[in-house]
Amino acid sequence: SGSPTVYTTPLDEEFFNGYDDQGNLFADGFTGDRSDFALVELPKGSSKFVTIKTSNAVQFPGSVQWDGTYLTVFDQITNQFYQYTVSGTTATLKNTIQLTGSSDCAQTWIVKGLVYCGDAGNDNGEVFKYPAGGSPIAVFTGSFDFPLGATAAQK
């Protein structure tokens, strides 16, 4: 309720947002043309986003999530999760997790031991072991038309 607070990011196109365990907000997207990936952070309590330099190249921004240990960014082109530790304005790649058989998991959802994917390229939903990755352990089929998101609940 009340008046919203508007924040300006350095991104020209913003795709996904996610919080870490400290309450810092991260967003990914592009600056300039669609070849300039960027990750930005709004530190908790701040009103200004800062650019975070990643130690690897992300081809196309996907979900940004905290997995309990790492800040993760999903790459929609390579179908990989990149797990980062963030210190200051640097994100250091610690692990890469490959999802085999997925085509375009735009938005993913990590729950304990699993990751759910709305796969726009395969027009289905997929479930993978996390952080193992690999091939899907379950596939949801139906009359999906370009599914872009996934949400899961776990008891």
Side-chain angles (χ1 to χ4, degrees), residues 5-146:
T5 302
V6 177
Y7 297 95
T8 302
T9 76
L11 300 170
D12 292 321
E13 291 183 79
E14 183 178 335
F15 285 81
F16 296 93
N17 302 291
Y19 287 94
D20 68 8
D21 64 333
Q22 303 297 308
N24 303 306
L25 176 64
F26 292 85
D28 65 3
F30 292 113
T31 59
D33 65 26
R34 284 199 162 198
S35 64
D36 298 324
F37 171 83
L39 179 66
V40 298
E41 175 188 8
L42 178 65
K44 183 179 181 178
S46 177
S47 61
K48 184 174 177 171
F49 276 88
V50 294
T51 300
I52 304 297
K53 180 176 174 21
T54 58
S55 61
N56 67 309
V58 176
Q59 293 183 36
F60 199 92
S63 292
V64 178
Q65 297 171 82
W66 178 253
D67 72 0
T69 304
Y70 299 104
L71 180 73
T72 67
V73 174
F74 191 76
D75 189 324
Q76 292 185 58
I77 300 293
T78 65
N79 297 301
Q80 294 175 324
F81 279 97
Y82 301 122
Q83 294 178 317
Y84 296 103
T85 56
V86 180
S87 179
T89 58
T90 301
T92 303
L93 181 65
K94 292 299 180 179
N95 299 299
T96 300
I97 299 165
Q98 181 71 51
L99 301 186
T100 305
S102 63
S103 177
D104 186 3
C105 292
Q107 186 258 333
T108 60
W109 192 265
I110 299 170
V111 297
K112 187 176 181 179
L114 301 172
V115 62
Y116 292 81
C117 153
D119 192 328
N122 289 334
D123 279 335
N124 64 22
E126 298 157 351
V127 183
F128 299 85
K129 289 185 179 180
Y130 186 88
S135 299
I137 60 171
V139 176
F140 301 103
T141 59
S143 298
F144 300 120
D145 184 21
F146 206 67

